[in-house]
Amino acid sequence: SGFINVTTSNTSQKIREIMHVVRAGDEYFASFGLSSVAAYMELKPEEFILDGNAKVWLGDKQVPISTYAGTSFINFRSQKNPIVTISAVDILNGKISHEMLEDKLVFMGVDDPAAGSDFFTTPVTSQYAGVKVWATTALDIFENAWVKNGGGMFGFINILLALVFFPGLALMVRVSRKHILVFTGIGLLLVSIITSIILFRQLNY
């Protein structure tokens, strides 16, 4: 697979999200990841719908996308739980059993950084193959495991927490008790960080 519709973070220059819907003139086109999953699920054309309400329908499965750019955030698996890769040489030499490939969605592409192209900087590694990006996005769709970002109840709680830090604490605690102010602030900050880690690991939020 080649990797064309790539978008990077403005601040980190890393790939964090994938464009799932691209417009060219009056036509709309789905990403390679979406199209691959639709083909694997053997969906009829009418079951593969580019919804105008910030989601794509793949049969009964909904894939949420951003309203501003038709993107979703990628849930890059860590090196402890990587995307499974199989060498083409091992397949040609008969070292891989048919069961490893049967009934699987298989992406083919170069994953050796020495090839020099189609490699990108991601939160996981600085040399991440484009074919793995597509495989990851497909896995996200199958597992409903894309990264969720901002908004909703958690976004509202985040705003409340920021207001508690300032001016909330300053108004609630007298100036003479600065140590209480400091310890309360540190406590809230630690709770916020721990909660964020749990939400990301358990709910991909």
Side-chain angles (χ1 to χ4, degrees):
S1 72
F3 199 88
I4 300 171
N5 51 341
V6 57
T7 178
T8 59
S9 165
N10 290 333
T11 53
S12 68
Q13 294 302 302
K14 294 178 181 179
I15 295 180
R16 296 184 181 274
E17 55 187 323
I18 192 87
M19 291 183 187
H20 275 312
V21 179
V22 177
R23 181 179 179 182
D26 294 328
E27 297 289 330
Y28 290 88
F29 298 92
S31 70
F32 185 55
L34 279 175
S35 300
S36 300
V37 173
Y40 178 81
M41 294 172 67
E42 298 182 345
L43 295 179
K44 298 175 182 176
E46 61 268 21
E47 295 178 292
F48 184 17
I49 303 167
L50 304 180
D51 196 319
N53 298 313
K55 58 180 169 287
V56 176
W57 289 88
L58 297 172
D60 295 329
K61 186 183 288 291
Q62 295 182 41
V63 181
I65 56 176
S66 66
T67 54
Y68 65 91
T71 63
S72 68
F73 284 91
I74 306 170
N75 179 15
F76 287 104
R77 275 60 176 181
S78 68
Q79 297 307 311
K80 294 180 181 178
N81 183 28
I83 295 292
V84 176
T85 58
I86 299 171
S87 168
V89 173
D90 288 341
I91 294 173
L92 294 171
N93 290 339
K95 294 180 180 179
I96 301 298
S97 66
H98 290 290
E99 288 75 19
M100 282 289 292
L101 299 173
E102 282 178 348
D103 299 320
K104 305 289 194 312
L105 177 55
V106 179
F107 290 84
M108 293 185 290
V110 178
D111 72 344
D112 183 355
S117 61
D118 203 31
F119 287 85
F120 305 92
T121 302
T122 71
V124 176
T125 176
S126 60
Q127 291 287 333
Y128 203 82
V131 66
K132 287 188 178 181
V133 177
W134 287 123
T136 303
T137 57
L139 190 60
D140 285 353
I141 295 168
F142 282 124
E143 297 182 347
N144 297 323
W146 42 80
V147 171
K148 305 159 189 73
N149 184 46
M153 181 183 67
F154 294 121
F156 180 69
I157 291 172
N158 240 357
I159 293 171
L160 283 181
L161 182 63
L163 291 173
V164 167
F165 276 119
F166 183 83
L169 286 175
L171 294 173
M172 287 186 288
V173 181
R174 294 201 307 267
V175 179
S176 59
R177 297 185 177 179
K178 286 183 180 179
H179 59 284
I180 295 176
L181 195 71
V182 172
F183 285 122
T184 304
I186 291 172
L188 284 171
L189 183 63
L190 289 175
V191 168
S192 173
I193 292 171
I194 292 168
T195 303
S196 296
I197 292 171
I198 293 171
L199 285 173
F200 184 70
R201 288 183 177 175
Q202 300 300 320
L203 301 175
N204 303 319
Y205 195 97

